[in-house]
Amino acid sequence: MRQDVRIVIIGGGPAGLAAAAAAAEQGVPVGDILIIERDDKLGGILNQCIHNGFGLHTFREELTGPEYAQRYIDLVEKDEIPYLLNTIVVDISKSKEAAPCGGHAGAAKNASRGYKTVTAMNSTDGMIQIRAEAVILAMGCRERPRGALNIPGYRPAGIYTAGTAQRFVNIEGRMPGREVVILGSGDIGLIMARRMTLEGAKVKVVAELMPYSGGLKRNIVQCLDDFGIPLKLSHTVVDIRGRDRVEGVTIAEVGPDRKPIPGTEEYYSCDTLLLSCGLIPENELSDGLGVGMNPVTNGPKVNESLETDVPGVFACGNVLHVHDLVDYVSEEATAAGACAARYVLEEETGAAGKQETGAADKPVTITATDGVRYTVPVSIHVDRMQETQRIRFRVGAVYRDAAIEVDFDGRPFRTWKKRIMAPGEMEQVILTKKDLAAAKGLRNITIRVVQGG
């Protein structure tokens, strides 16, 4: 089976839905947009996130995960944007042949661009090949499993990632266990500490390897402090007891080198160990396509348009970098959808040409240093950017009474004072096109943390 569209969106979660709605709003015919989702329904991971706290930025009201997802599902269905469910994408490839999109007005003009071929499969249609001018990567992320954590001990039943336990409880109505220890203080783990407690389980402790929590402050307060669940920072699991089923775990304090300190071991009897030890963007497809990757985020490197170094391939949401709020995912995905729409429509309006001919402005690179771990985007074409450019990033430690400093080619440009910054919460700065254009010959923007503010 072969199909031609203009934009393929891989992933039907909050990022993919927001991107599709934005592309349609920009004027791409809905019949030329296709969402591919591997699950049996749209909405992604939000379908199992039944707690509230979503939508405060986007909709100015507090929603549960399914309610938030439904807002975007309603947009997609109202616009009648096509989507495929229970469909797995197995490959994305690029071709220099003319983009063949169904005789649309810009097909001939876009001949120089080529197209991307998305190979997918499902039980109804078998193998499917979809050719498109643009692809939006919105595959989300997965949890880091036990195998990546090097925890000694046997492999008994009762060890789950926090997301798997969340699905068991919220979707399938099954309790993983009754006495729980949680390793890692990511947001999913914190939320599951509360959820398991509300379902009658006893959460004995949350152990975190780092000297700070990986979750939002509000989740620490609402999910641990409010229920009297202890959080032990700079601690990790050093042993798991039990052969058939978890019987207990031993945790120990770790030093600055993150190695256990002898004599600090504590034993907790339990029948369940939940792992909340980080998220990994789902970028196997991106790697196969040859997209340049950021070793810090494990996501693609993108420019101001959220476009990767493969022309016509855009990325947004947790596949790009792990977000703390879904509202930011939707905001970013809306921008990606709009940029992908402009990419496929620009030749028809006569607005393009620079990128293809090489006459475009040289990009301004963005360097993260001195406490800033990474930035999204990593480069900006000033001529192509909107009137404002949002740059998001995370810091590498907890900073109090510090500041974010932005330099233009080594010259201080602006400083933002910050009372507190932590790795669990994203930071951002907003630059204007006017400021960047005024810095004649600008080639590098540096973003750093300055102690003392």
Side-chain angles (χ1 to χ4, degrees), residues 5 11 16 26 45 63 89 103 200 205 256 269 292 332 365 370-371:
V5 296
Q26 290 293 316
I45 198 67
L63 304 171
V89 174
V205 68
S269 62
E332 184 177 87
T365 59
D370 297 336

Side-chain angles (χ1 to χ4, degrees), residues 58-376:
T58 305
F59 300 110
R60 306 299 179 190
E61 58 181 302
E62 195 170 33
L63 304 171
T64 65
E67 288 172 333
Y68 186 96
Q70 193 62 48
R71 297 288 179 96
Y72 282 98
I73 293 171
D74 291 343
L75 282 177
V76 166
E77 293 186 339
K78 178 184 177 182
D79 290 340
E80 298 183 342
I81 298 173
Y83 55 85
L84 294 173
L85 300 178
N86 295 307
T87 303
I88 300 290
V89 174
V90 296
D91 184 61
I92 311 171
S93 60
K94 52 190 174 182
S95 171
K96 294 183 179 180
E97 298 178 37
C101 296
H104 62 73
K109 294 181 180 180
N110 287 335
S112 63
R113 290 188 167 186
Y115 59 87
K116 273 60 69 177
T117 299
V118 176
T119 303
M121 60 187 305
N122 59 40
S123 60
T124 302
D125 304 307
M127 193 72 73
I128 312 166
Q129 284 197 324
I130 303 118
R131 298 186 293 185
E133 295 172 54
V135 173
I136 300 177
L137 306 173
M139 295 88 73
C141 58
R142 66 179 182 273
E143 295 177 279
R144 184 170 281 110
R146 176 185 174 172
L149 302 178
N150 298 319
I151 303 173
Y154 293 102
R155 297 296 189 262
I159 304 175
Y160 305 89
T161 63
T164 298
Q166 186 182 60
R167 181 177 180 87
F168 280 170
V169 176
N170 295 345
I171 300 293
E172 301 180 18
R174 295 189 287 166
M175 280 291 287
R178 291 294 174 180
E179 292 187 305
V180 184
V181 170
I182 299 177
L183 174 60
S185 61
D187 287 311
I188 304 175
L190 298 176
I191 289 164
M192 282 309 295
R194 176 179 63 184
R195 188 76 179 99
M196 296 291 284
T197 302
L198 292 173
E199 288 295 331
K202 173 63 176 177
V203 179
K204 296 192 170 182
V205 68
V206 176
E208 169 58 54
L209 177 68
M210 304 301 290
Y212 49 80
S213 171
L216 295 170
K217 178 64 175 178
R218 74 182 190 195
N219 284 334
I220 297 173
V221 173
Q222 296 174 1
C223 301
L224 299 187
D225 295 349
D226 288 356
F227 292 89
I229 300 171
L231 170 63
K232 289 184 173 288
L233 300 176
S234 298
H235 281 72
T236 191
V237 172
V238 295
D239 187 40
I240 299 172
R241 181 177 297 180
R243 284 179 176 267
D244 297 325
R245 175 82 192 194
V246 172
E247 297 173 1
V249 301
T250 301
I251 71 171
E253 186 177 357
V254 300
D257 58 359
R258 301 182 192 173
K259 293 182 179 180
I261 300 173
T264 63
E265 295 85 359
E266 298 177 77
Y267 178 77
Y268 291 86
S269 62
C270 63
D271 59 16
T272 304
L273 173 64
L274 300 188
L275 306 177
S276 179
C277 302
L279 301 170
I280 305 169
E282 291 270 19
N283 273 300
E284 287 74 16
L285 291 171
S286 312
D287 279 332
L289 182 59
V291 169
M293 307 297 288
N294 187 320
V296 177
T297 63
N298 293 314
K301 296 178 181 179
V302 294
N303 61 21
E304 76 295 332
S305 301
L306 298 173
E307 186 178 22
T308 70
D309 56 4
V310 177
V313 177
F314 300 79
C316 58
N318 284 347
V319 80
L320 177 57
H321 60 132
V322 176
H323 292 64
D324 49 0
L325 298 178
V326 73
D327 302 76
Y328 295 159
V329 168
S330 300
E331 180 184 273
E332 184 177 87
T334 297
C339 291
R342 286 193 289 271
Y343 177 87
V344 302
L345 295 174
E346 61 188 4
E347 292 244 8
E348 298 174 26
T349 62
K354 287 186 176 182
Q355 185 170 349
E356 271 57 60
T357 63
D361 61 310
K362 292 183 179 179
V364 178
T365 59
I366 304 174
T367 301
T369 187
D370 297 336
V372 177
R373 298 188 65 237
Y374 70 88
T375 67
V376 172

Side-chain angles (χ1 to χ4, degrees), residues 364-411:
V364 178
T365 59
I366 304 174
T367 301
T369 187
D370 297 336
V372 177
R373 298 188 65 237
Y374 70 88
T375 67
V376 172
V378 298
S379 64
I380 298 173
H381 292 83
V382 179
D383 287 356
R384 302 178 202 164
M385 67 178 282
Q386 302 299 301
E387 292 306 312
T388 60
Q389 178 65 54
R390 192 182 308 273
I391 302 174
R392 287 203 166 103
F393 56 92
R394 289 184 189 266
V395 295
V398 176
Y399 296 95
R400 300 180 185 276
D401 298 320
I404 294 297
E405 181 181 273
V406 174
D407 295 349
F408 283 2
D409 284 335
R411 301 183 302 272

